[in-house]
Amino acid sequence: MPSIGAVSPHKLHFAEPLPLASGAALAGYDLVYETYGTLNAARSNAVLVCHALNAGAHVAGLDANGQPGWWDNLVGPGKPLDTNRFFVIGVNNPGSCFGSTGPMHRNPATGRAWGADFPVVTVEDWVDAQARLVQRLGIEQLAAVIGGSLGGMQALAWTMRHPGRVRHCIAVATAPSLSAQNIAFNEVARRAIITDPDFHGGHYYAHGVVPRRGLRVARMVGHITYLSDDSMEAKFGRELKAGPDGPLSYTTQDIEFQIESYLRHQGDKFSEYFDANTYLLITRALDYFDPARAHGGDLAAAFAPARGKHFVLVSFTTDWRFAPARSRELVKALVDNAAAVSYAEIDAPHGHDAFLLDDPRYHGVLRASFERIFHELGTL
Amino acid sequence: MPSIGAVSPHKLHFAEPLPLASGAALAGYDLVYETYGTLNAARSNAVLVCHALNAGAHVAGLDANGQPGWWDNLVGPGKPLDTNRFFVIGVNNPGSCFGSTGPMHRNPATGRAWGADFPVVTVEDWVDAQARLVQRLGIEQLAAVIGGSLGGMQALAWTMRHPGRVRHCIAVATAPSLSAQNIAFNEVARRAIITDPDFHGGHYYAHGVVPRRGLRVARMVGHITYLSDDSMEAKFGRELKAGPDGPLSYTTQDIEFQIESYLRHQGDKFSEYFDANTYLLITRALDYFDPARAHGGDLAAAFAPARGKHFVLVSFTTDWRFAPARSRELVKALVDNAAAVSYAEIDAPHGHDAFLLDDPRYHGVLRASFERIFHELGTL
């Protein structure tokens, strides 16, 4: 399947402060974005891609380092989200650490890095920032918004917050809110970071250090929740670092099992590039997402603005982070609003991470959805 | 239900070194134990209770601080394990931090605390130490050995290692080995401890500090795996610390949700009394338990010494740490050896922690099992 080839990011400055759910506002900020494909004359073929925790604007194609985008298997010429047909936008959310204004940047109020003073941002805040970008790009209405996991929450929030500006919503491996267990895992990760002596209350930039120990543990625990029990068992089982017939080392501090080696490697890699304050901000955005809250817990009432809109929801059977039952809650609330909902529950072994993989049934659902959206373009 | 009342621990010294699975040996060591009830004249009514991670010899009754034992709901006069009928022994395993020789005690080879030099101990090593204690108490054969979780592994190991010295095995909420996911969670906890700057490579005693940050995170992540998703949802859901209608604080570092408050409290409490080196040793004993390994992965072959013995296995439907499927693996291996196996899968909502609770169906199974064992005493 051909790739888009080399791509480069763009950056736009937004001078007008962004009002936030918390009551605070984010003063002038930059957004980094990428686009793929061509905006048609009617400006009707734009698709916005929302990112999850560990990703940014680089959705597809190859960046300056030759790295493919995080959803390159989905987005490109002839791919399910076909850039020969659609104008695709990837944008990095404020508070993240992949180019847009975040806690590592200069706080205009103090002249120093924001650090822990970066305002708490929510899924709805991000969607508002994205809506400004879309407007700046001259797009009145998106053909679709798509995202997986936390990105799926943003896709859903678009239909509640800016229903007139999006026609289709595709939300994969997501949930209407975090469960107590989801929040609990986030909190473990946050405590690991915050109690790392190198965190310095979130102002570690000034100390020239990074709370790497905390980031490693945070990533390790996160990673366990991204994989299914079965896929971890199939991939690692009880295999020893010393090989299948290797002797046991009887060690408490060193690596004995392959799964330990893998997790440590994931933690080490992550701690090299991910910002600790961003980790706190993004896990909190996850925790706070709960559109039903403003409606006394009535999710259907929250989705009232999405009435009559088109939704595609996908979940994966072995995803225990955002299990299919959570997607079914969404389907019910949408159907209660007479929305047009397609829901696919894919029997995939890979757990939550499946939303990033190219399972043919999953990609088949997305391909068919974008086919439909493309053909609708001619009827607008 | 009456309790045993006040109890006090005993301590015995064992001068003969204990050979360990690793090839090392534990030099002279102390074991702390408690007993409840009376050994009959035939010395045939002794039941050994094996503990899991966060417990010791104090199984039942009230200690000097008035604290009930960790399995007080099970063990006592008229209780399922009836101390009017049985002589019950609780023993703290070497390497633990509840009285028996552990890493905080003096290493005779150096004159300083063992710290990280305490030898790695396995489930089988513990069972060997327990067997010596039982012998010292003048008991040739136990009527039964019982344990839950890691304690269940010890109960199982007795039947393979000392089959002539135990008649019945009761193993609750346990597994024939840890899965990759189980090991992964243990490794996250260990990394949190080991990378805490106060760990000092395991020799923190000499520095007058405790790796409390790491212990807190370790306990938090452990605790999540002890509870079921459902029970956490029922108990905490998305309830705010500020109360059901309380305003959101929009904080990344402070507590917003009740589940966070609960987990932090669990972590804080645990870090006040649990030893970090013990945490490493005990999680490793869990990781290493794998009786099938010495038999090319054939669990039935591992249980060959248990041929004809009586087993009771119990699992809990919502236990995702040691799920019912793991107990069924054990049942199959035992049945293959013509062992007499009773297996109960209890539909309880509490996850792994259910083994410590007094669900009436669960306790009914144990009561009936000990009735049977008691009546068998008259036929010996």
Side-chain angles (χ1 to χ4, degrees), chain A residues 238 251 256 284 287-288, chain B residues 238 251 256 284 287-288:
Chain A
R238 298 181 51 81
T251 172
E256 181 76 270
R284 264 309 193 210
D287 290 356
Y288 281 131
Chain B
R238 298 181 51 82
T251 172
E256 182 74 271
R284 265 308 193 210
D287 291 356
Y288 282 130

Side-chain angles (χ1 to χ4, degrees), chain A residues 21-22 116 120 122 177-181 183-185 187-188 190-192 194-195 197 199 201-202 213 217 220-221 224 229 232-233 236-238 240 246 248-257 259-260 263-264 280-281 284 287-290 293 320, chain B residues 21-22 116 120 122 177-181 183-185 187-188 190-192 194-195 197 199 201 213 217 220-221 224 229 232-233 236-238 240 244 246 248-257 259-260 263-264 280-281 284 287-290 293 320:
Chain A
S22 65
V120 169
T122 65
S177 65
L178 295 206
S179 69
Q181 191 190 67
I183 297 173
F185 279 121
E187 176 65 1
V188 169
R190 281 192 294 264
R191 293 315 291 168
I194 291 168
T195 63
F199 183 65
R213 292 173 287 244
V217 169
M220 288 171 75
V221 71
I224 298 174
D229 189 14
M232 217 180 232
E233 197 61 24
F236 302 103
R238 298 181 51 81
L240 299 177
L248 293 168
S249 317
Y250 292 100
T251 172
T252 56
Q253 297 191 38
D254 294 330
I255 290 171
E256 181 76 270
F257 297 94
I259 179 65
E260 299 176 305
L263 275 185
R264 287 203 203 180
L280 304 187
L281 288 165
R284 264 309 193 210
D287 290 356
Y288 281 131
F289 184 67
D290 184 10
R293 185 172 192 264
W320 61 281
Chain B
S22 65
V120 169
T122 65
S177 65
L178 296 206
S179 68
Q181 190 189 68
I183 297 172
F185 279 120
E187 177 65 0
V188 168
R190 281 191 296 264
R191 293 314 292 167
I194 291 168
T195 63
F199 183 65
R213 292 172 287 243
V217 168
M220 288 171 75
V221 72
I224 298 175
D229 190 14
M232 217 181 231
E233 197 61 24
F236 301 103
R238 298 181 51 82
L240 300 176
L248 293 169
S249 316
Y250 292 101
T251 172
T252 55
Q253 296 191 38
D254 295 330
I255 290 169
E256 182 74 271
F257 298 93
I259 180 65
E260 299 175 306
L263 275 186
R264 287 203 204 180
L280 305 188
L281 287 165
R284 265 308 193 210
D287 291 356
Y288 282 130
F289 184 66
D290 185 10
R293 185 171 193 266
W320 61 281

Side-chain angles (χ1 to χ4, degrees), chain B residues 23-86:
Chain B
L26 183 61
Y29 57 95
D30 295 328
L31 291 184
V32 164
Y33 68 99
E34 294 187 6
T35 68
Y36 324 103
T38 309
L39 190 60
N40 62 12
R43 298 178 170 270
S44 62
N45 69 334
V47 175
L48 178 71
V49 178
C50 304
H51 70 77
L53 190 142
N54 182 25
H58 183 43
V59 174
L62 303 174
D63 69 11
N65 301 316
Q67 288 299 310
W70 58 269
W71 225 346
D72 191 68
N73 61 24
L74 182 75
V75 179
K79 294 186 182 177
L81 177 41
D82 190 344
T83 50
N84 292 329
R85 294 174 160 185
F86 291 101

Side-chain angles (χ1 to χ4, degrees), chain B residues 34-242:
Chain B
E34 294 187 6
T35 68
Y36 324 103
T38 309
L39 190 60
N40 62 12
R43 298 178 170 270
S44 62
N45 69 334
V47 175
L48 178 71
V49 178
C50 304
H51 70 77
L53 190 142
N54 182 25
H58 183 43
V59 174
L62 303 174
D63 69 11
N65 301 316
Q67 288 299 310
W70 58 269
W71 225 346
D72 191 68
N73 61 24
L74 182 75
V75 179
K79 294 186 182 177
L81 177 41
D82 190 344
T83 50
N84 292 329
R85 294 174 160 185
F86 291 101
F87 177 67
V88 179
I89 308 162
V91 55
N92 185 222
N93 292 322
S96 176
C97 51
F98 298 113
S100 294
T101 296
M104 67 298 301
H105 295 130
R106 187 175 163 280
N107 176 355
T110 65
R112 296 179 302 123
W114 282 99
D117 300 326
F118 196 88
V120 169
V121 279
T122 65
V123 165
E124 288 77 11
D125 296 334
W126 285 335
V127 163
D128 289 354
Q130 292 162 7
R132 286 186 177 181
L133 171 70
V134 167
Q135 187 157 43
R136 190 79 76 84
L137 296 176
I139 297 157
E140 281 302 310
Q141 193 182 46
L142 293 165
V145 58
I146 180 172
S149 188
L150 175 57
M153 292 174 176
Q154 294 161 56
L156 294 169
W158 262 90
T159 70
M160 293 179 264
R161 205 146 173 94
H162 304 287
R165 300 186 54 193
V166 60
R167 290 195 300 278
H168 295 262
C169 168
I170 304 180
V172 183
T174 195
S177 65
L178 296 206
S179 68
Q181 190 189 68
N182 292 148
I183 297 172
F185 279 120
N186 280 349
E187 177 65 0
V188 168
R190 281 191 296 264
R191 293 314 292 167
I193 289 170
I194 291 168
T195 63
D196 183 331
D198 285 336
F199 183 65
H200 294 287
H203 295 286
Y204 45 89
Y205 314 106
H207 293 79
V209 292
V210 165
R212 197 153 280 160
R213 292 172 287 243
L215 276 167
R216 284 196 196 105
V217 168
R219 182 56 167 180
M220 288 171 75
V221 72
H223 209 85
I224 298 175
T225 70
Y226 305 150
L227 302 182
S228 72
D229 190 14
D230 285 353
S231 66
M232 217 181 231
E233 197 61 24
K235 198 164 170 189
F236 301 103
R238 298 181 51 82
E239 207 180 310
L240 300 176
K241 182 133 191 266

